[in-house]
Amino acid sequence: MESYVAGAPPLSVASTDGSPSASSDSPGTATSISSATTDARLGQPAAPPSVPAACLACRGKHLKCDGSTPCSRCLASSTECLYVPSRRGYKGPKRNTAHNPHKRHASSSPPYPGPSESCPMLLGHAGVSLGAPALGSFSPAGIVLPDQSPVSYTTPSPLTNVPRLYRNNSFVPAMDPNAMALTTTTSNTSATPSAASLVQPPPPTLAERCFDAFYHYFHAGHPFVLPKEYFLMLKNGNNPNVGIVEVAMRYVGSLYIDSGPAKETYLDEALRMCYQAGIPKDGFLIQALLLVIVGLDGQCNQQKARDLLADCERLAIEIDLNKREFATLHGRGNPVFEESWRRTWWELYVCDGMIAGVHRVTKFLLFDIQADVGLPCEEQQYLSGRIPQPLYMEDFDDQIFSDEDREFSSFAYRIVAARSLGRLMRMPQTLFPDLEEIDRVQAQLTNWRIHLPDSKRDDLSKSCQLDEMMFQAHFIIHACTLMLHQPLSQLDTSPAQAVNSCAPHRHVVSGDVFNAHTRHTIDAASEISKMITQAVPITQHTHFFTCVITLSSIVHLSRWAQYMVGDEDHLRQQIRLNIGALDKLSRVWKAASTAWGQVRGVAQDIYREKKAHQISPAFWVSFTQEQMINSIRTDDGIMSEFTAVVAGQGLLGGPEVTRG
């Protein structure tokens, strides 16, 4: 019987060294097959079976391996037995496969040779891409490691790009099963955590919180310091005065948050640095002083603020901050820096005017100083760094008579409003004022209003956000109107003489005729109260709005003290608005707290006096029964709300600001 079937394909037989022999097409192939079959029939031992893979030690010495773990040769020579798994027929990883507890586990391997050395297990093998998910070293029986994102590893293993090596389980290092279970549970609850979620940033320090509060609450109301991104880049320079500006910013920011004693610490540090010997006299020093001045004025330290203001004004004139070329010479070729220097001069100009106008102690010194500094651009242009070519004050004054269609920024209209305040303050204070001079100032105020472009007629920008520069410009004009006409009006201000937190009381005797000056005064006070209704947190306005609200409150209280007032319910609502606004501003500014207490106290006194007069029947002669009931009910309601304010209940909405 033949040992093969006719027509069958030729066979190959493994040689003694494990390599395949010649094919049956070679001479003597049939004889070899027949001989092997005959030996098997005679009971002689067959050739050892071939193994799927040889260990690395046997392969390196070109010796036959029995495929055991460890093999007999490695066992005899006490050599570590390592295998490279065969990838013949590999079609990629299977999904949702059950874990095999008898599977040989991957373990860490000794460091592999460097690129210059010959390593048989790397020949012909492409490394694993770093973008692929990293593989774990091994998994104990019964625990399956979930897939993890490569970014969850802080440092990749040096063996990430090396094929896994399998060895005897006796070489596997021990691992704490509890730690592995914790890792598994955490990974299952949050899928593929990223490095950003695992590493939490440290909480901001108090200094950082004060710095951020400055830009969030204050910078929009006095935008002369560099925008935040530019200032952070500037901090890395060598100018010591930049550090003074930062300390002054922290002081102002500390007023808006619960900073404790740090508020006084920052103030003392800023003053010490501003007046230390050898400090350079430059624009940064003026910026730091101006920030401290605004903060001190809002905290009722007005005398110290006036002293610093006098020093700041002398320094500004000394270094030629009021000259056009200052911005170019000190702008470092950066348009944003140049814009900041222009804004610094004009902010000092506006603040000098507002301090003089609301307190009536200083004389607005900078109003008489010649200045040819370019006008600031729009706020969005400043914050974004897209600075246009500056316009000048002569361009603003000539716009009506020139053919050029020019658009001026909100900051520019704020400057012109402050200039109108300066002209008002230069009027002689006499018992019999010149009516022609009054008409001239009123014409300037009216021209400012009627020539506003449509985009500047309210306090909102094109994106429906509050335009703080136009907000301030409008209330400066309203305050000028009130200050111009109130002394000539028919309103007796003696009932509100206790309201003197911002400025001394100005006595006005009531007349018999309701004249045009009274109409201007009442309209200006009403417009100021209307500005409180803007849908923004009132604490984001400048603190100078406190004194403007106080001026408006004096007018409202003077009217409310009269026996016969038209539309008295609307008047009461305006008083409520003013008191509520002062209460909110008092969370930040001490000056607002003082004004709030005075206005509320006068309102209570007027209420008690009105209640006393209501006992007399003659008081209700011109009232119907319904009007009498409504008047008593409204008065009781507003006084109960005043009491609620005292108990700590605010009248206005919006986010709270912790009082420092």
Side-chain angles (χ1 to χ4, degrees):
M1 181 176 177
E2 297 293 334
S3 59
Y4 63 93
V5 181
L11 302 176
S12 62
V13 180
S15 62
T16 57
D17 60 354
S19 60
S21 64
S23 66
S24 58
D25 294 337
S26 302
T29 301
T31 307
S32 301
I33 296 176
S34 178
S35 174
T37 305
T38 305
D39 292 341
R41 289 178 179 177
L42 295 176
Q44 296 179 356
S50 62
V51 296
C55 70
L56 293 179
C58 294
R59 290 174 59 180
K61 298 177 182 179
H62 300 285
L63 298 176
K64 185 175 180 63
C65 183
D66 57 12
S68 302
T69 308
C71 70
S72 58
R73 296 185 185 276
C74 292
L75 191 60
S77 60
S78 298
T79 305
E80 188 176 20
C81 192
L82 301 176
Y83 287 88
V84 176
S86 174
R87 297 180 61 87
R88 181 178 301 168
Y90 177 73
K91 297 181 180 180
K94 296 182 179 180
R95 298 182 179 179
N96 302 325
T97 56
H99 179 69
N100 182 7
H102 303 292
K103 180 180 179 181
R104 285 184 284 188
H105 307 292
S107 61
S108 60
S109 303
Y112 57 88
S116 60
E117 302 179 19
S118 176
C119 182
M121 57 185 171
L122 294 180
L123 296 177
H125 179 78
V128 181
S129 171
L130 289 176
L135 300 175
S137 57
F138 67 93
S139 176
I143 298 180
V144 181
L145 288 176
D147 294 334
Q148 289 180 317
S149 171
V151 296
S152 63
Y153 297 97
T154 55
T155 305
S157 170
L159 298 180
T160 302
N161 295 338
V162 181
R164 287 195 291 179
L165 303 179
Y166 290 85
R167 64 178 69 179
N168 191 352
N169 287 341
S170 61
F171 294 100
V172 177
M175 170 170 273
D176 184 4
N178 295 329
M180 181 61 69
L182 179 62
T183 304
T184 305
T185 305
T186 305
S187 299
N188 286 332
T189 54
S190 59
T192 61
S194 63
S197 63
L198 293 178
V199 181
Q200 295 294 334
T205 63
L206 178 60
E208 293 172 341
R209 291 173 54 216
C210 294
F211 182 82
D212 292 338
F214 168 84
Y215 277 101
H216 181 76
Y217 291 106
F218 184 85
H219 188 259
H222 300 275
F224 62 98
V225 178
L226 284 169
K228 187 175 183 180
E229 293 76 10
Y230 288 90
F231 186 84
L232 291 176
M233 292 187 296
L234 185 66
K235 283 176 56 178
N236 299 326
N238 298 323
N239 193 318
N241 287 2
V242 177
I244 305 179
V245 177
E246 184 177 11
V247 174
M249 293 161 66
R250 291 174 182 171
Y251 162 64
V252 174
S254 68
L255 303 177
Y256 291 89
I257 65 176
D258 187 9
S259 57
K263 177 171 56 178
E264 298 298 330
T265 302
Y266 289 141
L267 174 60
D268 294 340
E269 184 181 1
L271 292 176
R272 177 186 58 80
M273 296 175 69
C274 286
Y275 285 93
Q276 63 184 345
I279 192 70
K281 296 180 179 181
D282 59 5
F284 293 115
L285 181 57
I286 293 178
Q287 289 184 343
L289 285 172
L290 184 54
L291 290 176
V292 175
I293 290 167
V294 176
L296 289 175
D297 187 79
Q299 295 305 107
C300 283
N301 199 341
Q302 297 169 4
Q303 182 59 50
K304 183 63 175 177
R306 289 195 295 269
D307 294 341
L308 294 180
L309 179 61
D311 293 341
C312 191
E313 290 171 340
R314 286 194 298 267
L315 176 61
I317 298 172
E318 179 181 345
I319 67 174
D320 293 333
L321 186 63
N322 58 319
K323 301 295 181 61
R324 178 180 302 190
E325 58 270 14
F326 183 90
T328 305
L329 293 175
H330 299 85
R332 307 183 182 185
N334 190 318
V336 179
F337 282 64
E338 296 176 2
E339 174 71 11
S340 178
W341 295 134
R342 291 190 289 267
R343 286 169 172 259
T344 300
W345 165 257
W346 287 121
E347 188 65 30
L348 180 61
Y349 178 91
V350 173
C351 288
D352 185 21
M354 287 198 286
I355 290 176
V358 299
H359 300 314
R360 316 215 184 133
V361 177
T362 56
K363 299 299 183 181
F364 196 177
L365 173 66
L366 297 186
F367 177 77
D368 300 317
I369 300 299
Q370 294 293 328
D372 57 354
V373 180
L375 296 174
C377 62
E378 293 287 5
E379 301 311 299
Q380 187 56 41
Q381 294 173 328
Y382 182 47
L383 297 177
S384 63
R386 299 190 298 269
I387 310 298
Q389 283 294 115
L391 299 173
Y392 296 87
M393 189 60 72
E394 55 266 25
D395 298 324
F396 188 94
D397 294 333
D398 297 340
Q399 60 178 320
I400 303 299
F401 309 103
S402 63
D403 295 333
E404 300 180 11
D405 187 13
R406 296 166 176 166
E407 293 186 3
F408 294 87
S409 67
S410 300
F411 203 137
Y413 284 99
R414 175 176 176 246
I415 295 169
V416 177
R419 187 176 62 171
S420 299
L421 175 61
R423 290 172 178 169
L424 171 65
M425 297 186 66
R426 292 298 181 269
M427 287 180 54
Q429 301 296 325
T430 63
L431 294 177
F432 304 98
D434 186 359
L435 295 182
E436 291 184 0
E437 183 67 22
I438 293 177
D439 292 341
R440 188 178 298 113
V441 175
Q442 180 57 50
Q444 294 173 354
L445 299 176
T446 304
N447 275 326
W448 186 92
R449 283 194 294 264
I450 65 177
H451 291 293
L452 284 176
D454 293 339
S455 60
K456 306 295 182 183
R457 293 192 178 277
D458 54 29
D459 307 325
L460 298 177
S461 64
K462 296 179 180 179
S463 58
C464 294
Q465 301 295 321
L466 176 71
D467 187 344
E468 178 66 22
M469 293 294 95
M470 283 309 301
F471 183 90
Q472 294 184 26
H474 280 290
F475 79 58
I476 291 174
I477 293 297
H478 294 322
C480 289
T481 303
L482 194 151
M483 294 165 60
L484 177 65
H485 293 283
Q486 186 182 16
L488 301 176
S489 70
Q490 311 304 311
L491 294 176
D492 182 6
T493 59
S494 58
Q497 61 183 341
V499 183
N500 56 8
S501 60
C502 290
H505 174 256
R506 298 179 66 182
H507 185 65
V508 177
V509 180
S510 176
D512 298 330
V513 182
F514 190 87
N515 57 17
H517 297 291
T518 306
R519 180 75 266 170
H520 279 297
T521 303
I522 293 175
D523 289 346
S526 299
E527 289 297 325
I528 292 171
S529 296
K530 188 186 300 183
M531 297 183 73
I532 300 173
T533 63
Q534 287 284 1
V536 295
I538 196 169
T539 52
Q540 292 191 358
H541 297 311
T542 176
H543 86 278
F544 291 112
F545 192 41
T546 296
C547 292
V548 177
I549 295 175
T550 305
L551 291 175
S552 171
S553 300
I554 292 174
V555 176
H556 295 330
L557 294 172
S558 300
R559 291 186 62 205
W560 195 36
Q562 298 179 4
Y563 292 148
M564 300 296 295
V565 180
D567 197 9
E568 186 169 352
D569 182 65
H570 180 60
L571 178 60
R572 294 189 187 99
Q573 298 301 324
Q574 291 176 328
I575 297 175
R576 292 171 62 191
L577 274 174
N578 287 17
I579 293 179
L582 293 174
D583 176 51
K584 290 296 182 182
L585 287 168
S586 68
R587 313 297 172 88
V588 179
W589 304 106
K590 186 178 179 181
S593 179
T594 304
W596 169 77
Q598 292 179 353
V599 173
R600 181 185 57 83
V602 170
Q604 289 177 330
D605 292 341
I606 294 174
Y607 169 74
R608 283 190 289 265
E609 185 176 353
K610 290 173 73 72
K611 293 289 288 186
H613 284 285
Q614 288 173 1
I615 299 176
S616 173
F619 181 84
W620 303 105
V621 170
S622 60
F623 285 81
T624 64
Q625 183 177 6
E626 182 179 0
Q627 290 174 337
M628 180 178 64
I629 295 175
N630 289 337
S631 179
I632 295 175
R633 183 183 302 165
T634 304
D635 287 342
D636 291 340
I638 188 173
M639 294 315 301
S640 64
E641 291 188 359
F642 292 166
T643 305
V645 171
V646 177
Q649 301 177 6
L651 295 178
L652 297 179
E656 295 289 336
V657 179
T658 304
R659 185 184 301 176

